Amino acid sequence: QVQLVESGGGLVQAGGSLRLSCAASGRYTMGWFRQAPGKEREFVAAISRSGGSTYYADSVKGRFTISRDNAKNTVYLQMNSLKPEDTAVYYCAADRRLGVPTRSYDYEFWGQGTQVTVSS
């Protein structure tokens, strides 16, 4: 069973930064998703197993960076220039198959989520 443990969420003012971490029990394709109250879960970013390929939602391009440290089986989401509309519960997800999916239903395993709140 794949285990994912997220950390790094919190409260930050608009324009600030946060870094989320997701420690996995192995090396997988990884993605970050978020879900705001009353909204559907949406794709944020994804990274291949090697780290050579990354994908971003248009809403976060240029502000968020996904990266990984394969020696630690950990994936990061560096979030800069945060906006109030980035407020959500952020989830990391893992998939054992090849490819880098951007749809939530393509991911097999999910973390428990971490709250990110951006105040205006």
Side-chain angles (χ1 to χ4, degrees):
Q1 183 73 6
V2 175
Q3 294 185 331
L4 304 172
V5 180
E6 297 138 335
S7 60
L11 173 64
V12 65
Q13 290 187 332
S17 299
L18 282 174
R19 189 177 79 157
L20 305 183
S21 300
C22 177
S25 53
R27 187 184 299 187
Y28 310 100
T29 295
M30 300 292 292
W32 285 98
F33 291 78
R34 65 187 182 187
Q35 188 166 18
K39 295 187 177 182
E40 293 187 353
R41 190 169 298 188
E42 65 174 358
F43 169 73
V44 176
I47 189 167
S48 62
R49 294 185 186 190
S50 68
S53 296
T54 57
Y55 301 88
Y56 297 93
D58 288 342
S59 58
V60 306
K61 277 181 184 176
R63 300 188 299 123
F64 291 12
T65 302
I66 189 171
S67 62
R68 66 189 303 154
D69 182 343
N70 284 337
K72 298 180 180 180
N73 287 333
T74 299
V75 173
Y76 305 97
L77 185 67
Q78 177 67 44
M79 305 185 293
N80 298 329
S81 302
L82 283 161
K83 305 175 182 179
E85 51 264 43
D86 294 319
T87 295
V89 177
Y90 283 70
Y91 298 90
C92 70
D95 191 72
R96 293 174 292 182
R97 295 164 292 185
L98 295 177
V100 186
T102 60
R103 298 173 299 188
S104 60
Y105 54 79
D106 285 326
Y107 282 86
E108 300 174 275
F109 304 100
W110 292 83
Q112 79 284 0
T114 185
Q115 177 70 46
V116 171
T117 303
V118 185
S119 63
S120 57

